[in-house]
Amino acid sequence: MNVLGIIASGVAALFITVALAKVARRAALRARTPGGRAPRSEALRRTGGATAVLGVGAAAGGALWLGAADGSEGSLAGLLAGAGTVAALGLVHDLKPFRAALRVPVQTAAAILVVCLAGLSPASGVLAVLWIVLVTNAFALLDHADGLLTTVGLVTAAGLLACAAVGGSPALAVLPATLVAGLAAFLLHTWHPARLRLGACGAQFTGFALATSGALIQAAAPSGRAAWAALPALATVALADTALVLISRRRAGRSPLRDTDDHIAHRLRRVRVTVPGAAVLLGLWAAVPVTTGTLVYAALLHPAFLLLPTAGTVAAAYALLRIPAYGPPRATPTRTAARRTAATTTGAAIPVAASAPGATGPAPGKGAPSAGTGTAARHPTVPPPPTGRSAAVAAERS
């Protein structure tokens, strides 16, 4: 496949995504109610990532149908089939959420399909499957702020496109090229405040496409190049966010599968970084290891230079780990403490008679005055004298 074919597929993905996202945005706006967003509007916004999936898939599928794979039809077909399967599962999750652990078997099956169609060896295939499942979920976890995953995925896809072009694998450059164009078109709608969201459909598709493209580009790399060290650097930010979350939840004694506000963007928000600012910072953060990895893959830098972005990432993750992400635990009172609190509250609710001229307070040891006494509403502090029949009864008793 020549350069013009790659450019044409990217342009097609751009225009298809723009058109579909515009239609989805109008549909979401029409479903809004005057008092706020209707449930249907929220569902349309949440499934907006399907427009990017359709745009990228249609452009890449058209390139495959036109015979532009240059003998790598199996690899490209496996990429599209596996990514489409994962995206379909994500769309089901957007419409009716289910447990995240159920996605792992489907991702594993899709990764095995890609590896089998690409013709990798058993040892390389096992490593590729593990890598694809890990990186897919790591990128999907970045979809916790407006424009964050779209920005990082755009930078990563650009690095994969450069590696595929340098490595002489034009067929493997089709999906990264269309992904760059599709994410760039969708970024206009998912930027803060987001009108559309990638959702599980778009996030899973993006992560799977980036992970599988990186694994196959590494497998097809010419001998003598440090592809084993260069390509993993392209997923530095996603892996750093996953490691940060797991370590933080482990230290706090929380479940690693229960999603909370403890990701990188959440911690940046706690130090007064805006939502667009967090997306820009993580995009720049991703650009450093992506650029370094691409230059190492092209044999323009020594692999030792990869230690610089790795060390910077570790230092940044350690600094982010020191930002508190969880509130103080709520103390659960015991039964005895609850009873004491209730008794104290009940006793405090009884009004105390104020000293006034002619007033007689309760005798020592006789307890509090009766309900007829009170001073808060300027009532007399002693009972009023009996009148009428009450007076006669009192006289007879005396």
Side-chain angles (χ1 to χ4, degrees), residues 84-398:
T85 302
V86 172
L89 182 69
L91 183 60
V92 174
H93 178 74
D94 288 331
L95 298 176
K96 189 176 182 181
F98 52 87
R99 292 184 178 180
L102 299 178
R103 295 196 295 258
V104 176
V106 178
Q107 295 169 358
T108 304
I112 293 174
L113 176 64
V114 173
V115 168
C116 293
L117 292 178
L120 298 181
S121 62
S124 301
V126 172
L127 294 177
V129 169
L130 296 176
W131 170 258
I132 290 171
V133 174
L134 173 63
V135 175
T136 298
N137 290 281
F139 272 100
L141 288 176
L142 287 178
D143 190 30
H144 57 266
D146 293 346
L148 184 59
L149 175 59
T150 311
T151 304
V152 176
L154 179 61
V155 174
T156 308
L160 290 172
L161 176 60
C163 291
V166 171
S169 304
L172 297 178
V174 174
L175 191 56
T178 54
L179 194 60
V180 167
L183 291 178
F186 195 77
L187 184 61
L188 302 175
H189 301 279
T190 192
W191 195 255
H192 184 74
R195 276 74 65 185
L196 296 175
R197 298 176 181 174
L198 280 174
C201 178
Q204 294 288 326
F205 178 84
T206 301
F208 190 87
L210 294 174
T212 51
S213 297
L216 295 184
I217 290 173
Q218 180 177 356
S223 59
R225 290 186 177 175
W228 59 272
L231 288 175
L234 274 65
T236 299
V237 173
L239 296 176
D241 180 72
T242 302
L244 177 69
V245 167
L246 292 178
I247 294 174
S248 179
R249 294 175 186 175
R250 174 71 176 178
R251 294 174 59 181
R254 294 173 175 261
S255 172
L257 299 179
R258 187 177 180 180
D259 196 13
T260 54
D261 297 341
D262 53 1
H263 294 269
I264 291 179
H266 297 142
R267 297 171 187 268
L268 292 177
R269 288 287 294 153
R270 287 180 172 84
V271 291
R272 306 293 180 85
V273 179
T274 61
V275 176
V280 172
L281 284 178
L282 264 72
L284 296 175
W285 182 357
V288 175
V290 165
T291 303
T292 307
T294 303
L295 294 177
V296 171
Y297 183 86
L300 298 178
L301 287 179
H302 192 273
F305 281 92
L306 292 172
L307 296 176
L308 297 178
T310 302
T313 298
V314 172
Y318 179 75
L320 290 170
L321 193 61
R322 297 176 64 87
I323 299 176
Y326 313 109
R330 296 181 179 179
T332 304
T334 60
R335 292 184 178 181
T336 305
R339 291 175 181 175
R340 290 178 180 176
T341 304
T344 304
T345 306
T346 305
I350 301 176
V352 181
S355 59
T360 58
K366 294 295 183 67
S370 62
T373 64
T375 58
R378 297 183 179 180
H379 292 299
T381 57
V382 294
T387 59
R389 184 177 179 181
S390 301
V393 173
E396 293 177 0
R397 290 181 178 177
S398 61

Side-chain angles (χ1 to χ4, degrees), residues 3-29:
V3 178
L4 293 178
I6 297 176
I7 296 176
S9 61
V11 172
L14 178 66
F15 282 101
I16 294 174
T17 305
V18 167
L20 294 178
K22 189 174 183 180
V23 173
R25 180 180 177 183
R26 287 182 177 178
L29 291 176

